[in-house]
Amino acid sequence: MLPASIYTHAGAEPRGIASEAVGNALREAILDGLLTEGQALPQSELASGFGVSTIPVREALKQLEAEGLVAFQANRGAMVTGLSEADIIEFSEIRAMLEERAAAQAVARMTRLDLARIEDAYDAFVAGTSDAPDGMARSGPLNWAFHGAIYAAAGRPRLLEMIEALHRRVDRYIRGHLEIAGRKHVTDAEHLALLDACRRRDADAVARLTRQHILDAATISVDVLHRHRAAVG
């Protein structure tokens, strides 16, 4: 049986909105670790829990499949899928290439309003994250808000969309970084270095720091993956 805490009542919504509501709830449950790798996602049970028919449930699961969070297996239905070590490394290397470029372009175009948004996002991340479960849950969106605020200044919406999609693929492993003692302090310091480089309008430094931040995070994500699978095994 799936945990009751994943459900929000979506039955009163039109079909398209219900599908989005179900998808959002399941996505957050996966990213927050309430639904873990290998967890079966029976459509009938989900439909009953969300108060909808199986149609919006299936639509939501197909969207999550496109995001790499769910897989459909013959004779077994949908289940939560995970990333391998090679997946995490490859996605992170692609992210590094795209994000260092977006960061450099952002600095070249950055306005005072853009910088203010980045500063606000930095402050929100520092204040809103911790190694407590609720802080870890908030860390994903707050982390993306900070980095996304930098990349948005580049004025490249398609590039931003691609970067965000890649970020979603590894987000649950990045959230797990706060399980490591002292990691919160290191992440805050790395974000501050990025912010200071933006303040100096140093495009080369922002690009270099962005790339290093992502590749270092990939190494930690692999370690988190090993810890979780060792605990289960």
Side-chain angles (χ1 to χ4, degrees):
M1 180 176 293
L2 297 169
S5 58
I6 71 172
Y7 295 116
T8 57
H9 193 72
E13 303 290 353
R15 174 176 152 185
I17 298 177
S19 174
E20 182 178 357
V22 171
N24 288 341
L26 290 176
R27 183 184 299 105
E28 284 307 304
I30 293 170
L31 296 179
D32 290 345
L34 295 175
L35 297 175
T36 57
E37 182 180 347
Q39 171 73 60
L41 300 171
Q43 293 185 42
S44 58
E45 182 178 344
L46 290 170
S48 176
F50 283 109
V52 299
S53 73
T54 57
I55 295 175
V57 169
R58 182 166 181 81
E59 290 174 346
L61 291 173
K62 294 300 288 185
Q63 174 58 39
L64 295 176
E65 180 184 35
E67 296 176 16
L69 299 177
V70 166
F72 284 86
Q73 297 193 356
N75 302 320
R76 297 185 64 185
M79 65 174 51
V80 178
T81 189
L83 297 180
S84 67
E85 177 179 336
D87 290 332
I88 291 173
I89 293 171
E90 183 173 8
F91 281 131
S92 298
E93 288 174 346
I94 297 169
R95 283 185 58 208
M97 288 187 289
L98 295 179
E99 293 183 41
E100 68 175 340
R101 181 172 180 82
Q105 292 179 343
V107 170
R109 297 170 52 97
M110 194 170 289
T111 66
R112 290 184 179 179
L113 179 57
D114 291 327
L115 183 58
R117 288 170 176 157
I118 296 165
E119 290 173 333
D120 288 345
Y122 168 80
D123 290 339
F125 181 88
V126 171
T129 57
S130 68
D131 57 3
D134 58 341
M136 289 174 64
R138 289 193 299 269
S139 70
L142 290 173
N143 182 61
W144 169 248
F146 172 70
H147 290 287
I150 296 174
Y151 309 144
R156 302 286 298 276
R158 294 174 186 82
L159 178 58
L160 182 62
E161 182 179 331
M162 292 173 65
I163 290 171
E164 185 174 9
L166 286 166
H167 188 272
R168 285 177 182 164
R169 296 270 186 163
V170 296
D171 184 28
R172 64 188 128 160
Y173 302 102
I174 295 173
R175 294 187 190 202
H177 290 189
L178 293 183
E179 298 173 6
I180 301 171
R183 184 60 202 175
K184 157 75 170 160
H185 175 75
V186 173
T187 300
D188 288 349
E190 290 177 355
H191 284 183
L192 180 58
L194 282 165
L195 174 57
D196 286 342
C198 288
R199 287 168 170 160
R200 299 194 308 271
R201 301 299 197 275
D202 189 337
D204 289 340
V206 171
R208 174 177 50 79
L209 291 168
T210 295
R211 180 178 183 82
Q212 192 61 52
H213 182 64
I214 293 167
L215 296 180
D216 287 348
T219 300
I220 298 166
S221 294
V222 168
D223 181 54
V224 170
L225 176 67
H226 289 166
R227 292 184 185 204
H228 286 181
R229 291 184 176 169
V232 172

